[in-house]
Amino acid sequence: MERVLELRVHGVSNTPPDQLLGLGPRAGAGGAPPEQVAGGPVTGFYRSAAAVADDPIGVEAYSWGKLTSGARTRRDVERALWTLLLPFALANVALHARADIPADPDRERWASRSGITAWLIRLFCLSLTCTLIVTVTGIGVDLVGWQCVSRECLGRIPGPWEFLADPWWRQDTRALAFGLLLPLLVLSAIGVLAWRTYQYEAEMPAEPRHRPPGHDDGPAEPLENPLQDPTFWNGEGQLRRAAVLHLCTAAVAAAAVPVASVLIMDPPRGLRAAVAWPTVLLFATVVTIAVIAVGRPWLSRRQGATPLGRWSVAVAALTGVGLIGTFVLLLLPDGPAGTPLTTYRPPVACASTPDLTGCAAARPLPGYQTALAWLVTYQVLLLVAIGAANRSGRRALVGPVAAAGLLPLAVAWVERGLPGLPAAPAGLHTWMLVGPAIAVAVAGLLLPRLRPAVPTQPLGAYTGLAWHGCAPAVIAGFGWMMAVAYCAGLLYWVSERLAGPGEPRDPSLTVPPLAVFWAGLACVVGLIALLGLLVRVAVLLHGLRRAEYARLTSAGGLSAHDRRRCRDVSTYRALHRLVGEHAVRLIGCYAAGSAVLITLCCAAALSGHRPDPLSPAGWPALIHWTAELGDAVLGWLPVVTSALGLLIYRTDSVRRSVGVIWDVCTFWPRSAHPLAPPSYAERAVPELQTRVAGLLALPPQHPDRMDGVILSGHSQGAVICAAVLLQLPRRWRRRTWFFSYGCQLTRLYGRVFPSYFGPERLRTLARAVTWPGGHVAWTNFWRDTDPLGWQVSAGQRDVPVTDPEALHPSGGEVADPPIRSHSGYPDAVEFARERAVVARLLRRSVPSPRPRAG
C-alpha cells in the first residue's frame, strides 16, 4: 500500500511529542507514551504507540526543543549562561539581515553592497568581543591591580588577595601583571565553551544509500537562495578560523590596556624600550591581520572541517609572543624617564589619614577611561556605517569615514592645537565635537536606498523592508546596547564591592570609568522611554480592539454571551494586527530614540566631567543620584538575564513569551561571531534532511518506506522546514509537500532577512517545491487571531482557519469552542480536509517504483 507520512516540527514553545501527535492527555493517563523511532536523547522522531504500520497517512513528530529548552538537568544551568552571550548572538544575526546577499556565496565580492556590509559587521563583532574583555581587564588591572591598594580593599575580594598590598607587589607595575591574568582566564573560558559547541556545525546530512532505479537529480540546479548553499549549515572550519582571530584580538586588547598606561606614565628607554616597542609592533600586526582577514574569502566561506591554516597559527604565535613581552615589560623596574610609577597610584594610608596628599582626588589607571570612551564612540560610528552601507552601498560610507577621520583631528586641535591652524576657541570642548561628527556620519543614511538587482513587489501589506534598509545596524545596535549595559553594570558592581561602605567624599572609594556613570543615566532614560513605548502599545491595542469588536458586532442580533465572546475574540485579533502592522515600526522608533541618547552619552563620556553629588545646585545631585540608580540596575542585569535564560530553558510559559527572540537569534549559523551561542538549526536541518530523504529512499518492500512526506512546520518549525526543503535534492522535493502554519515568513523573517525570505526569495521557495505537473506543493494555514501567523502569498495556497469555530456551544457541547490563537492548527477542520487532499495527490502523482521483473 502506498503510504504518506506527515512529519510535524514544533515551534519555540517546545511542544511535547504526545501533543504534536494529537494524543492529548491520554498518553499521561494510562495510555502508552509515544515511541521514539529515530534520533537520540536530545533530538528525536516520535510516533504513536497505537499507530499501525500500514496506515495510509502516518504522523511523526520531530522534537528539537531540548537544543534550546533543556530537560531540567544540570546542563540547563550551563545553557542558561549562554544567554549572557546574547549581545554576540544579536551581532551575529545582523550579518544575515543584509540586503542583496547573492545566492551563490562564491559570487559575493568584498566591494559589493553585501560584501562591504559583511566586512563592517564582522569588524563590529570583533570590537564587541574586545569590549567584553577590555571591561574585564578594567576589573583586574584598573580596579584591583591599580586602585585597590590597601589590605582593607583587597580583603573584600573573595580569596587570599591581600598579598597584593605587600611592598614588592606595589612597586612598579607588578600588580598590573597579576591583574592581567583575569581577562586572559575569562577569554580562555569563553574559548573552551565555544569550542565545545562546534559539534553542531559538524553535522552533515547523510546521503541515502539506496537510490531508486531511474531516479536522477539531473544537472545541478542553479542557486537562487543562499539557503540552498550546501555548506550553509556546515561551518565548523569557518568557526574555528574566526574564533582564533577573535580570541587573539581580544587578548591583544586586554594586554594593550596596561601597556598603553605604562607608555603614558613612563615612556620606556633602554631595556624597557627594547621590550615595549617590539611588543607594540606585534600587537599592531595581529590587529591588522584580523581587520583584513575578517573580510577575506578564506574566513567568510563555510567550508566544513577545513583546518585552521598557516595564517591562524601565525596569528596565535604572534599573540603569544606579544603577551610574553607584555608580562616582561610589566615586571621590569621603573625606567629613568621620570616620576616613579607608584606616585601615580592612590596612597595606601588614605583610609587612616584622609588629609594625606593625593587622597582628595580619584586616581584611575591613566588612559583607561579615555580609551573606553573612544571605543564606544567609534562603535557608534561603525553602526552608522553598517546601516548606511546596507541601505545605499559603499557611496554612503563617505559620511562615516569622514567623521571617523575628522573627529580625532578636531579633538587634537581643541586640546593641543594643530600646526598651521589658529588656536581653537576658548569655549570649545571635546564633548561638543561628538554630536556634529555623528551627524556627519548619519548623513550617509539620507542617500536614496539602492534597489535590488531584480525588482520585486512586496507580497502584501506590511511586508516591505524593515527600518528602511537599516536592519543590520538596528539589530547589532541592540546587541551593542546590551553589551555596554552588561559591562557598565559589571564595572559598577565590582567597584562598589571593593569600595565598601563609605560617604561620597570618602577618598578610599574605587572609581569606575566615567563611561559607566553616564551609562547608568542612559539606562534610566532608556527605561522611561521603554515605559512610554509600552503605553503607546497599550493605546494602539485598545484602539485596534475597539475596531475589531465593532466589526464583529456589526451584524447585530447577538446575545449578551456572544458579545462577551466577541470581546475575547477582538483581543486576539487586535494582537494579530498589532504585531503584524505596528511592531516593526515601534521597534524602529525606539531604536531612533536610543541613537540620540547614545550620541549624548558618548559626548558626556569624552567630556571627562562627573557631576558632584554634594553640589549646592539641585541638578548635579539629581543627575548623580539617577546615574547611581541606573548603575545599580545595570549591576543586576547579568543576573536577571541568566535567571531569565534558566526560565526559558525550564519553563514553557516563559518560552512562549520570551523564547521567540532567543530562537530567532540562535536559528542562524555563527557566520559573524564565532563566540555566540550555538545554532540549533545546525543540527535540526541536517537531521530532518536525512530523515526525509532516508524514508523516501527505502526499497519498496521495506516496512518503513514512505511514498510521500508532508513536512508540517508550526511557527519557528515552518522556518526550519523551509530551510530543509531548500537543501533537499530535487528528486526528494518532488515527493514532498510543505504545510506551514503560525508562519512568520512574511511579516518578520521576510522584512528583517530579505536575502533569505524576501518577496523574490519566497517565490524561489515556492518554485523549488513546484512539481513537474504545476502543483505548488505548499499550503499555508493562518488565523486572524494568531499574533505570530500570517498569509504568505508567494504562489502557494493560503488557507484561512476559522477561530473560534463558533461564539457559543453547539452539537451538545456545553463549553465554548476555544480560541486557539497560535496553537492547535492540526485539530482544525480546514487542516484535516487539506491533508486528505494532499495525501491523495502524493499517492497519485508519485507512484511507488515497481521492482524489476526477473
Side-chain angles (χ1 to χ4, degrees), residues 488 515-526 601 626-632 634:
V516 174
F517 176 87
W518 295 110
L521 183 63
C523 172
V524 175
V525 177
C601 288
T626 305
E628 291 285 332
L629 176 63
D631 283 328
L634 293 179

Side-chain angles (χ1 to χ4, degrees), residues 203-555:
E203 292 284 335
M204 282 292 286
E207 177 69 20
R209 295 185 179 182
H210 175 76
R211 293 172 67 97
H215 283 65
D216 190 8
D217 286 341
E221 294 181 278
L223 299 181
E224 297 183 276
N225 191 311
L227 291 174
Q228 292 176 308
D229 176 19
T231 66
F232 189 86
W233 301 108
N234 180 237
E236 182 186 9
Q238 180 207 34
L239 275 175
R240 295 183 187 277
R241 295 188 295 271
V244 169
L245 289 179
H246 276 252
L247 295 175
C248 291
T249 306
V252 166
V257 171
V259 169
S261 297
V262 168
L263 295 180
I264 292 172
M265 294 182 294
D266 184 19
R269 296 179 183 176
L271 179 60
R272 290 169 59 84
V275 175
W277 298 119
T279 300
V280 172
L281 180 61
L282 288 173
F283 288 165
T285 303
V286 171
V287 173
T288 302
I289 292 175
V291 169
I292 296 175
V294 293
R296 305 304 301 166
W298 71 273
L299 177 76
S300 58
R301 299 295 182 264
R302 301 178 65 77
Q303 300 170 353
T306 306
L308 293 179
R310 293 173 295 178
W311 279 106
S312 300
V313 175
V315 169
L318 291 174
T319 304
V321 176
L323 290 177
I324 293 173
T326 299
F327 282 103
V328 171
L329 176 65
L330 296 178
L331 293 176
L332 285 174
D334 288 350
T339 308
L341 298 180
T342 52
T343 61
Y344 288 91
R345 301 182 69 184
V348 179
C350 286
S352 58
T353 313
D355 297 331
L356 191 66
T357 304
C359 290
R363 294 197 175 190
L365 185 68
Y368 176 66
Q369 68 177 11
T370 303
L372 210 59
W374 279 102
L375 174 62
V376 296
T377 302
Y378 268 85
Q379 283 178 324
V380 172
L381 292 175
L382 191 54
L383 285 171
V384 174
I386 290 170
N390 188 72
R391 175 183 166 85
S392 305
R394 61 177 181 268
R395 60 177 179 170
L397 293 178
V398 175
V401 171
L406 293 176
L407 182 59
L409 291 177
V411 171
W413 176 56
V414 170
E415 295 183 353
R416 296 184 179 86
L418 292 177
L421 293 178
L428 187 63
H429 302 285
T430 298
W431 63 270
M432 299 179 182
L433 304 174
V434 177
I438 295 181
V440 170
V442 172
L445 296 174
L446 303 179
L447 295 177
R449 181 160 54 92
L450 288 180
R451 301 299 175 185
V454 180
T456 58
Q457 296 297 326
L459 295 172
Y462 307 105
T463 61
L465 203 60
W467 306 310
H468 304 287
C470 297
V474 172
I475 297 172
F478 280 120
W480 176 80
M481 286 193 295
M482 180 169 283
V484 170
Y486 280 174
C487 296
L490 189 61
L491 283 168
Y492 176 81
W493 187 85
V494 173
S495 64
E496 285 293 296
R497 268 66 188 167
L498 292 178
E503 297 297 328
R505 290 285 191 181
D506 192 340
S508 65
L509 292 177
T510 54
V511 181
L514 183 59
V516 174
F517 176 87
W518 295 110
L521 183 63
C523 172
V524 175
V525 177
L527 289 176
I528 294 174
L530 182 60
L531 181 61
L533 181 69
L534 294 178
V535 172
R536 174 59 178 163
V537 168
V539 172
L540 280 174
L541 181 62
H542 179 69
L544 293 172
R545 186 171 180 267
R546 292 182 60 183
E548 292 297 329
Y549 179 76
R551 186 179 306 172
L552 286 170
T553 58
S554 60

Side-chain angles (χ1 to χ4, degrees), residues 139 144 148 152-164 178 182 493-494 497-498:
I139 295 173
V144 176
C148 199
E152 292 79 10
C153 177
L154 293 169
R156 300 186 184 105
I157 307 173
W161 308 117
E162 290 87 346
F163 68 89
L164 291 176
F178 186 85
L182 178 62
W493 187 85
V494 173
R497 268 66 188 167
L498 292 178

Side-chain angles (χ1 to χ4, degrees), residues 738-816:
F738 181 25
F739 277 3
S740 59
Y741 39 97
C743 178
Q744 305 108 31
L745 288 177
T746 50
R747 300 286 179 96
L748 173 60
Y749 278 88
R751 302 187 70 181
V752 180
F753 309 107
S755 296
Y756 302 93
F757 301 106
E760 183 57 33
R761 295 298 161 85
L762 276 183
R763 295 186 181 104
T764 297
L765 175 60
R767 289 193 296 269
V769 296
T770 300
W771 291 355
H775 288 293
V776 180
W778 181 5
T779 304
N780 179 65
F781 304 88
W782 66 280
R783 296 188 180 116
D784 56 8
T785 57
D786 184 354
L788 295 176
W790 301 278
Q791 306 98 309
V792 174
S793 306
Q796 85 309 322
R797 173 175 161 79
D798 272 316
V799 177
V801 178
T802 303
D803 188 45
E805 297 175 358
L807 294 176
H808 47 265
S810 60
E813 181 60 72
V814 296
D816 289 323

